[in-house]
Amino acid sequence: MASVHQLLSKIPQDLPYEVLIVQAEELFSHYPPQELAKQAALQLRKSIAISTFQDFQMATSRQRPDAVLRKQFQEKPRPPPANAEAATPLVAANQLVKMAVWGLTATLGAAAFAVVNSAVEWAPEFVSQLFP
């Protein structure tokens, strides 16, 4: 009851009630509730067409980030580079960056594993409190 009072107390005093009622009546006559309900049901049926597990798998595979990016790439293909020789160093540099990131990730993972392993040796009671 208090929430209704709070909502009603926030309504402005100079609200044009007559104009709002006339507009609501016009909208009600232009868009009857039965027609809106039919359109909403059709829209729901069109937007959710998952009736089987295979439809579900197909829908989720289309929503994966790689599938979305692949679709965008196919819709908007990149223009070919001005000279093909300039593109080759970029590919090599890209592979070098990927290898460097992989190496750093592996090194940090190994370091984290070593820290956790030494923490277990030094204070097993503390670690057992953290991870019951």
Side-chain angles (χ1 to χ4, degrees):
M1 200 66 174
S3 62
V4 174
H5 180 267
Q6 181 184 9
L7 177 71
L8 292 176
S9 66
K10 290 184 180 181
I11 295 177
Q13 296 297 327
D14 58 345
L15 196 64
Y17 295 107
E18 292 81 18
V19 174
L20 289 174
I21 293 171
V22 169
Q23 287 178 347
E25 187 179 2
E26 289 174 1
L27 287 172
F28 188 82
S29 63
H30 286 302
Y31 306 103
Q34 297 84 4
E35 188 64 32
L36 289 176
K38 287 179 188 175
Q39 289 178 1
L42 286 174
Q43 180 65 28
L44 180 66
R45 193 168 289 131
K46 287 180 183 177
S47 67
I48 303 175
I50 299 175
S51 58
T52 64
F53 183 69
Q54 292 172 344
D55 292 340
F56 175 72
Q57 283 182 323
M58 184 65 77
T60 55
S61 70
R62 290 183 188 144
Q63 294 176 0
R64 287 181 23 204
D66 60 335
V68 172
L69 290 174
R70 192 176 304 119
K71 183 178 179 184
Q72 288 178 353
F73 182 73
Q74 289 172 352
E75 289 174 358
K76 296 179 184 179
R78 291 187 289 179
N83 54 1
E85 296 169 3
T88 306
L90 291 176
V91 172
N94 191 15
Q95 288 178 344
L96 183 62
V97 169
K98 286 181 183 179
M99 292 299 288
V101 169
W102 181 84
L104 287 172
T105 304
T107 304
L108 288 174
F113 181 72
V115 167
V116 169
N117 199 15
S118 65
V120 169
E121 292 174 5
W122 284 93
E125 302 87 22
F126 179 70
V127 175
S128 66
Q129 290 174 357
L130 288 177
F131 305 107

